[in-house]
Amino acid sequence: MATSRQVSLVVRRFLWGQRNYSTGDIKTATTKVSRFAEIDARIEKALPPKIKALWNHPAGLKTIHFWAPSWKWCLVFAGMADYTRPAEKLSWRQSAALAATGIIWSRYSMVVVPKNWNLFSVNVFLALTGVMQLSRIYLYNKSLEKSKEDESPEPIMGPRIGDDKDDGVNFGPPVVTDPGEGFGPPGTGPPSTK
């Protein structure tokens, strides 16, 4: 019976994250402090008062509310690194996804409690990066359309028979001026009919 009670208490502690828990006597359980709480207390004593406020903030350094947006800055830096890539190699789907993510989560970061300014700023910059890349892709596509319109509409043709202009482009059959030419070494062609 005691073993099943201890197992259920351990499971409860694991699932609900109860602190100061011990499988021993109830009186000793309240006097024990978790290892995390000991480390937290030591760090807090060493911090200056201004940084203590950041340390104990609901979205402070001890929470995921600080670290997740901090790592999300890597997406912003990757998007900014794409500014050096040529526009024809950019993906409009990826840029649109970054811009949409930034816009949606910027709004959400102002609704969620605690208000997280780190999350808001990273999402604003993510939206700006995505919109900037989309504008680069749009301008590149417009320049392609304009260059296609500027090209001459007449097709490129090879030299015509009897055309004396030799521009190095030969799309048609060779122009033969002497009937004996082109059939082998000079002078070995068909006999001339003079």
Side-chain angles (χ1 to χ4, degrees), residues 50-74:
K50 288 187 178 183
I51 298 180
K52 258 186 205 178
L54 176 63
W55 183 256
N56 291 320
H57 190 272
L61 296 171
K62 295 189 283 186
T63 66
I64 191 69
H65 301 293
F66 174 80
W67 293 106
S70 297
W71 284 105
K72 198 172 183 180
W73 279 103
C74 293

Side-chain angles (χ1 to χ4, degrees), residues 34 56 60 79-80 92 100 124 130 136 140 153 157 174 179 183 188-190 192:
S34 72
N56 291 320
M80 290 170 67
W92 71 267
V124 166
R136 285 184 60 212
Y140 172 74
M157 299 179 73
F183 292 107
T188 58
S192 63

Side-chain angles (χ1 to χ4, degrees), residues 73-137:
W73 279 103
C74 293
L75 288 175
V76 175
F77 297 142
M80 290 170 67
D82 283 345
Y83 290 156
T84 60
R85 293 177 70 191
E88 66 266 11
K89 293 190 177 190
L90 295 175
S91 167
W92 71 267
R93 288 184 175 101
Q94 177 183 350
S95 300
L98 287 177
T101 299
I103 292 167
I104 292 167
W105 287 101
S106 293
R107 169 68 181 120
Y108 178 74
S109 67
M110 291 291 99
V111 177
V112 70
V113 174
K115 230 173 238 218
N116 195 340
W117 293 103
N118 188 14
L119 182 63
F120 176 74
S121 62
V122 72
N123 284 310
V124 166
F125 277 94
L126 193 61
L128 289 174
T129 303
V131 168
M132 182 68 141
Q133 297 291 30
L134 285 173
S135 65
R136 285 184 60 212
I137 294 168

